[in-house]
Amino acid sequence: MPDTSTASLHWDYRDGRVAAVAAAVVYSLWVLEVVLPGGGAAQGALAEPGSPFGEFLDSTHRTASILVIVAAALGLSLGTRRTRRWLLVSWWSMAAFGVLSLATSLLPGACRVSTDVACAAESLVEGGQGATLAQALLSVAAVVTALVSVIALAVNRWNADDPAWLFVAVMAALQAVSAVAVLVLAGILYWSSGDGDPGVPLGLVQRAHLVTVALWLLTAGIVPGPWKRAHDGQETAAAR
């Protein structure tokens, strides 16, 4: 009889790493705004409502969100099974980020990217079509969960005496700076009742934050430590 065991779907930790790296690449596709129709016109928001580039971002954002969820799920189930504390916090925060990003992308409204908090705030105060408080809150939550995940990953790698901890810590610092800048500027925009154009500075900060999110996901995929199984007490202690 033919062997059918190889025909069954078999998930491997490498699939999780590939999913994280792929999510980083897909989250970076917004850079195509310089060549796609309707992309280069936006200064504050990442895409003009109804533009071809906006529709493109819709699709890529949902795809990236699903890839993040897959990476986090595989990290939790196929990575270090006896993981505790900080790595668990990192995986669960990554999963929350993916779910929040996917949920935000499915809401009606002009904002195409879940971490585009300024767009959500502006749409809310100006009464944009489909704009809701939920979208703004989910956008803030997505920014926060991504930041918590990368910080927890850096602490975990430091506790594990992994030389990569410094690299992860740099990624965490960059994301923290950009996340705070995005939230502060979006808050100013909201409390000013949306008066004025967010303009180039806020648009640049939003894009810089997306870069740090992509770098975090890339780091989560290429750093091998979080994906190792715990075979003995020493490795288990290091994973905490």
Side-chain angles (χ1 to χ4, degrees), residues 117-118 177-191 202 205:
V117 183
V177 171
S178 63
V180 170
V182 165
L183 293 176
V184 169
L185 291 176
I188 293 174
L189 180 66
Y190 178 79
W191 291 112
L202 184 52
V205 170

Side-chain angles (χ1 to χ4, degrees), residues 78-100:
L78 298 177
T80 307
R81 292 185 180 277
R82 292 190 292 257
T83 294
R84 296 180 182 179
R85 300 178 187 175
W86 293 106
L87 192 52
L88 276 178
V89 171
S90 183
W91 289 133
W92 280 112
S93 298
M94 179 187 287
F97 171 76
V99 171
L100 289 167

